[in-house]
């Protein structure tokens, strides 16, 4: 495992946008990519709000089933609490789902693949790559 996909990366891939992201994702060995339960929750929420929830869920499940899925466990919870307090004290909070995703990446020593650099760069020690940056 090397990379944790953020929600926006999954959405862009599933919607067929950003050929550079698609190419990079397809060129990366499946065993080097993981998703997490928090990303899945965000995707499923979007599916249930879509015009065709059943079709959207089926597409999401087919895509997500390729990868190991990590839960939000106790080590990530401890890191999330520490990160949230530090960012709040600095007046730079981030969204609760992004906080959990960042903590899962840190707890599992993964690089987060996201296009939401501005939000995640506030998290000290988090390795980030933007696979859309070339589009």
């Amino acid at each position: 495992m090397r990379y944790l996909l953020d929600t926006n990366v999954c959405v862009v891939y599933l919607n067929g946008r950003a050929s550079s992201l698609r190419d990079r994702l397809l060129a990366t060995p499946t065993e080097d990519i993981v998703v997490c339960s928090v990303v899945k929750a965000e995707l499923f929420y979007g599916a249930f709000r879509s015009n065709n929830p059943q079709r959207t869920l089926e597409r999401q499940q087919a895509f997500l089933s390729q990868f190991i899925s990590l839960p939000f466990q106790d080590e990530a919870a401890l890191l999330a609490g520490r990160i949230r307090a530090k960012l709040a004290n600095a007046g730079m909070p981030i969204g609760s789902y992004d906080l959990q995703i960042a903590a899962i990446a840190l707890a599992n020593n993964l690089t987060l693949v996201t296009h939401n650099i501005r939000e995640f760069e506030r998290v000290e020690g988090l390795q980030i790559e933007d696979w859309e940056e070339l589009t």
Side-chain angles (χ1 to χ4, degrees):
M1 294 184 291
R2 293 185 42 202
Y3 300 106
L4 172 62
L5 302 181
D6 188 19
T7 309
N8 61 49
V9 171
C10 297
V11 169
V12 167
Y13 178 83
L14 288 166
N15 289 337
R17 300 187 311 253
S19 61
S20 65
L21 179 134
R22 183 191 70 242
D23 293 346
R24 178 74 188 266
L25 190 57
L26 294 174
T28 304
T30 304
E31 61 270 11
D32 285 345
I33 300 172
V34 299
V35 293
C36 69
S37 55
V38 179
V39 166
K40 285 182 169 184
E42 289 190 298
L43 289 170
F44 297 157
Y45 169 72
F48 286 115
R49 294 199 31 114
S50 74
N51 291 331
N52 190 335
Q54 185 62 36
R55 181 176 56 92
T56 304
L57 283 169
E58 287 171 4
R59 288 179 64 233
Q60 289 175 348
Q61 293 284 23
F63 173 69
L64 295 169
S65 69
Q66 303 174 75
F67 311 112
I68 292 171
S69 180
L70 300 176
F72 184 72
Q73 295 184 327
D74 288 351
E75 184 181 353
L78 179 64
L79 287 169
R82 181 179 298 134
I83 295 163
R84 184 176 180 193
K86 184 173 184 171
L87 292 177
N89 288 341
M92 303 183 313
I94 63 172
S96 59
Y97 294 134
D98 289 345
L99 173 67
Q100 292 175 340
I101 293 166
I104 290 169
L106 286 168
N108 292 280
N109 196 31
L110 299 168
T111 297
L112 180 64
V113 179
T114 185
H115 192 58
N116 191 4
I117 300 298
R118 210 172 92 195
E119 183 88 347
F120 285 109
E121 69 185 0
R122 300 178 206 166
V123 179
E124 186 178 317
L126 181 63
Q127 298 298 311
I128 304 168
E129 288 188 15
D130 185 354
W131 291 359
E132 286 183 70
E133 66 187 352
L134 301 176
T135 61

